[in-house]
Amino acid sequence: MPLKSRFVFCVLLIVAVGAGDAVWRPTSFVTEAPSTKSVSENTRVDYSPARPEVTSEEVGAARVQPIEELEVTEQRPATVVVLTDHGRFEYYLDNSGTREVSAALQEIFDRTASLEDASATFEFLPGVYFLDAPLTVKLVSLELRGSGHRGIDVHGMNLKSGTVFRFGKNTGPDCLSFLAAGHSKSFPNGESPWKNKNCKVGVSGMTFVGYNNTGVDTANGYSRFRGDEPNFRGLHWYPAPDRYQDVEKEGQRAIVIKDKSGKCEMLSVNNCVFTEFYVGVETGSIDVCNITDSWFAQMTYGIRMSGQQPVLSIENNCFADLETGVIVKGARMANLNSNGFAYVSKCFELNNALYSTVSNNTLDNWEQSTGAAAFGGFCHIDGSRDLVMIGNSVRINIDARPRTTTLHEKPNGRAFVNIENSTNFMLANNVFDTIQTQTVVRLHNVTDSAILDNIIRYGKGGNAVAQTGDCRGNTYRPLQPDNSTPFDEYIE
């Protein structure tokens, strides 16, 4: 069909259906090449004054966006664009933060999942999408993509940025769950029926904000910059006692992948922000996982992963003001490298870590660290083989003995660097600058391992490295300035 004829046909079709009830329709057809325009190029820009955001008192009475209002009109510009194998779909999802949109967004997810053998990218305009009910997405392959620069500090600066999913008090415990799905036939040979199920999930450029999980009423307005009490430096990064009946069962998790009906082959989280949650990202077994260039701040746990994680990369992230940054049970071929930590109770907790690296990470817990985050350790490793820890730079200016002040019922690791039940472990060329009055590096039931050339500082009564339990075949080589090769003479 000639281009002019196709244009006339599309206009007539839109006029014809516009006179009836609101319908769900693509803005381009599968017979045409998808538009390459960005979301901003395909939507009307609203230059009206910003509308006030919903407060916690208004959350319960917030208006709900009707599903019928998903249709794009002159008054309701597209704020969500969905790119699929079947074409491009546009929707109006209220991004003012003043209306609750979980049912409308779930409808978008469900409509997309109903398309045969579809993959999808969901693009969201900047703004606040207020969600007060859990959501699920069931697709073999999908990506959530925000726009505008992400980032938010609901404890201080209090300025919204980019695409924000703001979860209400009633959202959870699993705020956004991804479920495995199947296709009618296999690829590439087209065998049908095909019963295998999986999910491949990408999340990029999104900001996720939970509801009051750090003991203060951030939903109703809290800022350390105006001196709100308890002061920022006195906060504990876990929910207040009256927030949940059972925090482990009910605590808000932003992103959850724990569907046992199928396999999750890949998770990619990039350039995202998580704040005010019990857990930021929680998963079961995933074949390939990349969590990079993101910010986990002011929450209890940043990342918690159970089950086998065959190829895992957690790199170039910021973890600030948390109880524990990363918990991985079953890491294999994992790269936990080049992350920055500040004011955390513990950076890493690893169980059954095989053939992995924890390298080039940095930690600064200074003397004014935040609440319970002042107390803890760099890592607790229980059960590892062929684990390498090289080039980490760690500074803590507080003696972290009283670790039971944290959420954990048991002490948060028995030493600052605590290695248990491990073999072929390498700890080399790290800097641990502490004032610990106890052992800094403890090996318990560790064999055939090496502790080499680390700079380890400690306080009065402490020491650098010790062995307990059944330790055999280990090598310890501290720095020995007295036996150093002489330096050359400086020549200008």
Side-chain angles (χ1 to χ4, degrees):
M1 183 184 293
L3 180 61
K4 181 176 181 180
S5 299
R6 278 189 295 176
F7 175 78
V8 172
F9 173 72
C10 291
V11 171
L12 291 175
L13 179 61
I14 291 172
V15 171
V17 299
D21 295 334
V23 296
W24 172 55
R25 61 180 183 269
T27 57
S28 62
F29 297 92
V30 295
T31 54
E32 297 181 4
S35 170
T36 58
K37 292 182 180 180
S38 65
V39 175
S40 60
E41 291 173 322
N42 284 278
T43 58
R44 290 166 50 85
V45 180
D46 183 3
Y47 291 103
S48 60
R51 289 160 287 190
E53 293 187 23
V54 65
T55 68
S56 64
E57 293 179 353
E58 296 168 327
V59 164
R63 294 174 298 152
V64 176
Q65 176 181 341
I67 291 175
E68 302 80 58
E69 289 190 9
L70 287 172
E71 183 184 11
V72 173
T73 68
E74 287 293 317
Q75 293 74 35
R76 298 194 298 266
T79 58
V80 180
V81 173
V82 185
L83 308 177
T84 77
D85 318 52
H86 298 262
R88 172 191 181 95
F89 303 85
E90 292 187 346
Y91 301 96
Y92 169 73
L93 190 67
D94 192 299
N95 62 343
S96 68
T98 62
R99 293 205 293 173
E100 204 278 326
V101 300
S102 60
L105 180 54
Q106 187 65 62
E107 179 72 10
I108 294 174
F109 289 149
D110 292 345
R111 289 180 182 182
T112 307
S114 71
L115 300 172
E116 185 178 13
D117 298 349
S119 298
T121 294
F122 301 85
E123 295 182 342
F124 297 85
L125 258 63
V128 178
Y129 300 86
F130 173 56
L131 306 159
D132 202 28
L135 294 103
T136 58
V137 192
K138 191 173 184 178
L139 283 163
V140 169
S141 173
L142 73 136
E143 180 182 14
L144 303 184
R145 185 184 299 166
S147 49
H149 199 289
R150 76 282 180 272
I152 196 165
D153 176 8
V154 295
H155 292 80
M157 195 64 67
N158 297 82
L159 296 172
K160 66 182 176 70
S161 303
T163 299
V164 180
F165 275 18
R166 181 189 179 190
F167 298 114
K169 184 177 182 179
N170 300 309
T171 311
D174 301 340
C175 297
L176 184 57
S177 298
F178 297 97
L179 306 180
H183 281 170
S184 63
K185 57 186 177 182
S186 68
F187 176 82
N189 70 331
E191 181 179 342
S192 181
W194 192 249
K195 297 182 179 180
N196 291 329
K197 295 182 178 181
N198 74 18
C199 64
K200 293 178 280 288
V201 178
V203 185
S204 63
M206 304 281 291
T207 294
F208 300 94
V209 180
Y211 182 90
N212 289 7
N213 285 287
T214 56
V216 292
D217 191 2
T218 55
N220 216 19
Y222 169 96
S223 175
R224 64 184 180 276
F225 294 143
R226 67 183 185 193
D228 287 348
E229 294 294 336
N231 187 265
F232 187 71
R233 295 298 169 198
L235 286 177
H236 291 243
W237 300 113
Y238 44 87
D242 59 351
R243 175 67 174 91
Y244 302 106
Q245 294 294 318
D246 186 327
V247 64
E248 181 55 34
K249 290 182 179 180
E250 304 169 26
Q252 281 186 326
R253 287 95 159 144
I255 291 177
V256 178
I257 303 179
K258 301 192 78 171
D259 184 9
K260 295 183 179 179
S261 68
K263 175 189 286 290
C264 180
E265 284 192 322
M266 188 169 189
L267 170 65
S268 298
V269 178
N270 179 259
N271 279 311
C272 290
V273 172
F274 301 84
T275 188
E276 271 288 332
F277 288 101
Y278 182 60
V279 184
V281 176
E282 181 147 69
T283 78
S285 297
I286 297 179
D287 280 358
V288 179
C289 181
N290 305 290
I291 302 177
T292 63
D293 304 295
S294 295
W295 181 23
F296 298 82
Q298 298 145 7
M299 59 205 312
T300 306
Y301 300 105
I303 300 169
R304 293 201 314 188
M305 314 183 81
S306 58
Q308 292 298 314
Q309 314 294 332
V311 181
L312 170 65
S313 295
I314 299 177
E315 300 184 289
N316 303 322
N317 301 290
C318 172
F319 297 87
D321 300 311
L322 303 98
E323 287 301 313
T324 303
V326 178
I327 298 177
V328 181
K329 298 180 179 180
R332 298 176 60 196
M333 297 172 285
N335 298 290
L336 313 178
N337 306 328
S338 301
N339 300 285
F341 296 84
Y343 328 133
V344 298
S345 181
K346 185 163 47 181
C347 298
F348 298 103
E349 182 178 315
L350 307 180
N351 299 87
N352 302 317
L354 308 176
Y355 339 122
S356 299
T357 63
V358 180
S359 300
N360 301 320
N361 299 285
T362 58
L363 165 66
D364 182 14
N365 275 3
W366 62 314
E367 56 272 17
Q368 296 185 37
S369 288
T370 321
F375 308 104
F378 177 64
C379 66
H380 184 188
I381 313 297
D382 187 2
S384 73
R385 182 183 181 90
D386 304 340
L387 178 65
V388 176
M389 297 179 66
I390 292 179
N392 299 288
S393 177
V394 173
R395 173 178 177 264
I396 179 167
N397 280 348
I398 300 172
D399 185 7
R401 272 185 175 276
R403 290 180 295 274
T404 52
T405 60
T406 70
L407 179 70
H408 303 280
E409 295 179 0
K410 297 180 180 179
N412 195 359
R414 296 181 180 86
F416 194 73
V417 176
N418 194 78
I419 315 298
E420 300 182 3
N421 307 311
S422 299
T423 189
N424 293 359
F425 170 70
M426 170 69 76
L427 182 74
N429 303 115
N430 301 281
V431 175
F432 300 112
D433 186 359
T434 83
I435 60 170
Q436 300 292 94
T437 58
Q438 61 185 133
T439 297
V440 177
V441 177
R442 173 179 180 258
L443 308 181
H444 181 73
N445 298 337
V446 174
T447 61
D448 302 323
S449 298
I451 313 298
L452 308 174
D453 301 334
N454 300 285
I455 297 176
I456 302 175
R457 298 190 180 278
Y458 46 86
K460 184 178 181 180
N463 58 27
V465 181
Q467 297 185 116
T468 61
D470 182 15
C471 289
R472 293 171 283 107
N474 298 319
T475 300
Y476 174 38
R477 187 177 69 199
L479 296 180
Q480 297 178 319
D482 294 341
N483 297 328
S484 172
T485 299
F487 288 86
D488 293 333
E489 182 179 349
Y490 171 66
I491 300 174
E492 293 189 10

